[in-house]
């Protein structure tokens, strides 16, 4: 409401689109895969988990980059994703489906040559009935109680399943982001008990498991989040860069407040930038008044609540009004934003949404 003391930055609107920009560094994805691959022995294959559109970053460019880097096994959540990935990669790479063989998946599994990770005796029966020629894998529950056959179920079908030479036997760790958690050793022991002597390639480790003792590596690891720059792979190169255009500037007087609910009030004269992204773009509402946007290395506190399409940041300390500010950059990664939002880097990535102008750098894609 106070008269602006500098040229209104609505000028900026003419120069740039009013949508946030997501830049994905494909060279960093490839480097992160190689770095994780080096953490395990030469006998251990390093696959890639690319479910949910490569954690929201874009299935096609990410998967092509990983295939170029040497990935021969990919993991997706559902058969639909597997079929998309087959169209992207063509024949050759193995594509495993975590949810296994769901009712109605048969045509897709056979058509796209997918490897269902069979979760239950019912899925095994369905698979052998619907797609008897199609290779499959097996998923065992070792304590997470989410997907996979329990020991008794496994015992009831093991002979029949193993006779058909499955491509992989896998299970999943519930606490691999906490290496000292006692559940890890319990799950390792259970996995060994259920698979010793099976003579089928085995996989237990995702990103967290790769970073743990080699006992967890078995024949194949299947990292996801570490490829995309997130914890627990703290040495990862950042992959996602988000920059948000400033679409208005205003000066506010002491005592004026900003945003819904008037949750932030200027203590002194302040310069506020309004930016074109909000919770509809995966900028969690919880980070209002908590996190920062960055102008290069200079933090600019988010002030007031996050709206659906807009953010407000305090830029009083900047010498020049910026064209844009960064939410994700080398100065603030997905885990820092996740902490402010009381969540995990995985959710920061997968929440980003469809409104971004996306660009890909550094890839052969
Ligand atoms: C998502 C997922 C992974 C990859 O986990 P990250 O923690 O992202 O490395 C591996 N295995 C299963 C079963 C999964 O659901």
């Amino acid at each position: 409401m106070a008269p602006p003391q500098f040229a209104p930055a609505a000028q900026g609107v003419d120069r740039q689109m009013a949508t946030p920009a997501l830049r994905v560094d494909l060279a960093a994805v490839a480097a992160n895969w190689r770095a994780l691959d080096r953490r395990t022995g030469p006998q251990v294959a390093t696959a890639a988990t690319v479910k949910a559109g490569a954690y929201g970053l874009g299935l096609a460019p990410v998967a092509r980059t990983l295939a170029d880097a040497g990935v021969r096994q990919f993991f997706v959540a559902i058969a639909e994703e597997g079929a998309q990935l087959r169209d992207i990669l063509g024949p050759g790479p193995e594509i495993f489906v975590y949810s296994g063989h769901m009712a109605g998946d048969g045509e897709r599994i056979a058509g796209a040559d997918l490897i269902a990770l069979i979760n239950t005796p019912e899925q095994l029966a369905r698979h052998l009935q619907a797609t008897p020629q199609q290779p499959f894998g097996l998923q065992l529950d070792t304590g997470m109680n989410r997907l996979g056959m329990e020991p008794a179920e496994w015992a009831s079908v093991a002979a029949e399943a193993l006779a058909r030479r499955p491509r992989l036997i896998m299970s999943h760790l519930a606490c691999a982001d906490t290496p000292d958690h006692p559940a890890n050793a319990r799950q390792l022991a259970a996995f060994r008990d259920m698979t010793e002597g099976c003579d089928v390639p085995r996989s237990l480790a995702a990103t967290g498991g790769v970073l743990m003792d080699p006992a967890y590596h078995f024949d194949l690891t299947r990292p996801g989040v570490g490829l995309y720059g997130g914890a627990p792979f703290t040495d990862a190169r950042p992959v996602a860069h988000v920059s948000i255009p400033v679409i208005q500037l205003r000066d506010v007087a002491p005592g004026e407040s900003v945003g819904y609910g008037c949750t932030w009030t200027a203590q002194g004269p302040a310069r506020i930038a309004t930016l074109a992204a909000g919770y509809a773009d995966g900028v969690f509402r919880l980070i209002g008044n908590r996190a920062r946007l960055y102008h290069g290395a200079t933090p600019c506190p988010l002030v007031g609540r996050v709206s659906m399409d807009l953010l407000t940041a305090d830029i009083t300390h900047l010498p020049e009004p910026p064209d844009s500010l960064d939410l994700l950059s080398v100065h603030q990664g997905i885990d820092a934003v996740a902490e402010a939002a009381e969540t995990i880097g995985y959710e920061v990535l997968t929440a980003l949404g469809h409104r971004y102008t996306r660009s890909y750098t550094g890839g052969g894609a």
Side-chain angles (χ1 to χ4, degrees), residues 49 51 55 98 139 146 170-172 205-208 222-226 232 346:
T49 293
K51 61 195 180 191
Y55 291 36
Y98 286 132
Q139 188 164 185
R146 191 179 66 170
M170 61 154 287
S171 188
H172 193 44
T207 302
R222 33 175 228 278
V225 76
Y346 303 65

Coordinates of all heavy atoms in Angstrom, one line a residue, residues 49 51 55 98 139 146 170-172 205-208 222-226 232 346, ligand 1:
T49 N 15.5 -47.2 -9.8 CA 14.1 -47.1 -9.6 C 13.6 -45.7 -10.1 O 14.1 -44.7 -9.8 CB 13.8 -47.2 -8.1 OG1 14.1 -48.5 -7.6 CG2 12.3 -46.9 -7.8
K51 N 10.1 -45.1 -10.7 CA 8.7 -45.0 -10.5 C 8.2 -43.5 -10.4 O 9.0 -42.6 -10.1 CB 8.2 -45.8 -9.3 CG 8.9 -45.2 -8.0 CD 8.7 -46.2 -6.8 CE 9.3 -45.7 -5.5 NZ 9.4 -46.7 -4.5
Y55 N 10.5 -40.0 -10.0 CA 10.2 -39.2 -8.8 C 9.8 -37.8 -9.2 O 10.2 -36.8 -8.6 CB 11.5 -39.1 -7.9 CG 11.8 -40.5 -7.2 CD1 11.6 -41.7 -7.8 CD2 12.3 -40.5 -5.9 CE1 11.8 -42.9 -7.2 CE2 12.6 -41.7 -5.3 CZ 12.3 -42.9 -5.9 OH 12.6 -44.1 -5.3
Y98 N 7.1 -53.3 -9.2 CA 7.0 -53.6 -7.8 C 5.6 -54.1 -7.4 O 5.5 -54.9 -6.5 CB 7.3 -52.3 -7.0 CG 8.7 -51.9 -6.9 CD1 9.1 -50.6 -7.2 CD2 9.7 -52.8 -6.6 CE1 10.4 -50.2 -7.1 CE2 11.0 -52.4 -6.5 CZ 11.4 -51.1 -6.8 OH 12.7 -50.7 -6.7
Q139 N 8.6 -61.1 -4.7 CA 8.8 -60.1 -3.7 C 8.4 -60.8 -2.3 O 7.3 -61.2 -2.2 CB 8.0 -58.9 -4.0 CG 8.3 -57.8 -3.1 CD 7.8 -56.4 -3.6 OE1 8.0 -55.4 -3.0 NE2 7.1 -56.4 -4.7
R146 N 4.2 -54.5 3.9 CA 3.6 -53.7 2.9 C 3.3 -54.5 1.7 O 2.1 -54.8 1.4 CB 4.5 -52.5 2.6 CG 3.9 -51.4 1.8 CD 4.9 -50.3 1.5 NE 6.0 -50.7 0.7 CZ 6.9 -49.8 0.1 NH1 6.7 -48.5 0.4 NH2 7.8 -50.2 -0.6
M170 N 13.3 -60.4 -4.3 CA 13.7 -59.2 -3.6 C 12.8 -59.0 -2.4 O 11.8 -59.6 -2.2 CB 13.4 -58.0 -4.6 CG 12.0 -57.9 -5.0 SD 11.5 -56.2 -5.4 CE 11.3 -55.4 -3.8
S171 N 13.4 -58.1 -1.5 CA 12.6 -57.6 -0.4 C 13.0 -56.2 -0.2 O 13.9 -55.7 -0.9 CB 12.8 -58.5 0.9 OG 11.9 -58.1 1.9
H172 N 12.3 -55.5 0.8 CA 12.6 -54.0 0.9 C 12.8 -53.7 2.4 O 12.0 -54.2 3.3 CB 11.4 -53.3 0.4 CG 11.6 -51.8 0.2 ND1 12.8 -51.3 -0.4 CD2 10.8 -50.8 0.4 CE1 12.6 -50.0 -0.5 NE2 11.5 -49.6 0.0
A205 N 18.6 -54.0 -1.3 CA 19.0 -52.6 -1.0 C 18.4 -51.6 -2.0 O 18.5 -51.8 -3.2 CB 20.5 -52.5 -1.0
A206 N 17.8 -50.5 -1.5 CA 17.5 -49.3 -2.2 C 18.6 -48.4 -1.9 O 19.7 -48.8 -1.5 CB 16.1 -48.8 -1.9
T207 N 18.4 -47.0 -2.0 CA 19.5 -46.1 -1.7 C 20.1 -46.3 -0.4 O 21.4 -46.4 -0.2 CB 19.0 -44.6 -1.8 OG1 18.4 -44.4 -3.1 CG2 20.1 -43.7 -1.6
G208 N 19.3 -46.4 0.6 CA 19.8 -46.5 2.0 C 20.7 -47.8 2.2 O 21.7 -47.8 2.8
R222 N 18.8 -51.3 -6.1 CA 17.8 -50.6 -6.9 C 17.5 -49.2 -6.3 O 16.4 -48.9 -5.9 CB 16.5 -51.4 -7.0 CG 16.2 -52.3 -5.8 CD 14.9 -53.0 -5.9 NE 14.2 -52.9 -4.7 CZ 14.4 -53.6 -3.6 NH1 15.3 -54.5 -3.5 NH2 13.7 -53.3 -2.5
P223 N 18.5 -48.3 -6.3 CA 18.3 -47.0 -5.7 C 17.4 -46.2 -6.5 O 17.3 -46.3 -7.8 CB 19.7 -46.4 -5.8 CG 20.5 -47.1 -6.8 CD 19.9 -48.5 -6.8
G224 N 16.7 -45.3 -5.8 CA 15.8 -44.3 -6.5 C 16.3 -42.9 -6.0 O 17.0 -42.2 -6.7
V225 N 16.0 -42.5 -4.8 CA 16.1 -41.1 -4.4 C 17.6 -40.6 -4.5 O 17.8 -39.4 -4.8 CB 15.5 -40.9 -3.0 CG1 16.5 -41.5 -1.9 CG2 15.2 -39.4 -2.7
G226 N 18.5 -41.5 -4.2 CA 19.9 -41.1 -4.3 C 20.3 -40.6 -5.7 O 21.1 -39.7 -5.9
P232 N 19.0 -40.6 1.9 CA 20.2 -40.6 2.7 C 21.5 -40.6 1.9 O 22.5 -40.7 2.6 CB 20.1 -42.0 3.4 CG 19.3 -42.9 2.5 CD 18.4 -42.0 1.8
Y346 N 11.8 -37.0 -1.0 CA 11.0 -37.7 -2.0 C 9.7 -37.0 -2.3 O 9.2 -36.9 -3.4 CB 10.6 -39.1 -1.5 CG 11.6 -40.1 -1.0 CD1 12.5 -39.8 0.1 CD2 11.7 -41.3 -1.7 CE1 13.4 -40.8 0.5 CE2 12.6 -42.3 -1.3 CZ 13.5 -42.0 -0.2 OH 14.4 -43.0 0.2
Ligands
LIG1 C1 10.8 -46.8 -4.1 C2 11.4 -48.1 -3.9 C3 12.8 -48.3 -4.0 C4 13.7 -47.1 -4.2 O1 13.9 -46.5 -2.9 P1 14.9 -45.3 -2.6 O2 14.8 -45.1 -1.2 O3 14.2 -44.1 -3.4 O4 16.2 -45.6 -3.1 C5 13.3 -49.5 -3.9 N1 12.5 -50.6 -3.7 C6 11.2 -50.5 -3.5 C7 10.4 -51.7 -3.2 C8 10.6 -49.2 -3.6 O5 9.3 -49.1 -3.4

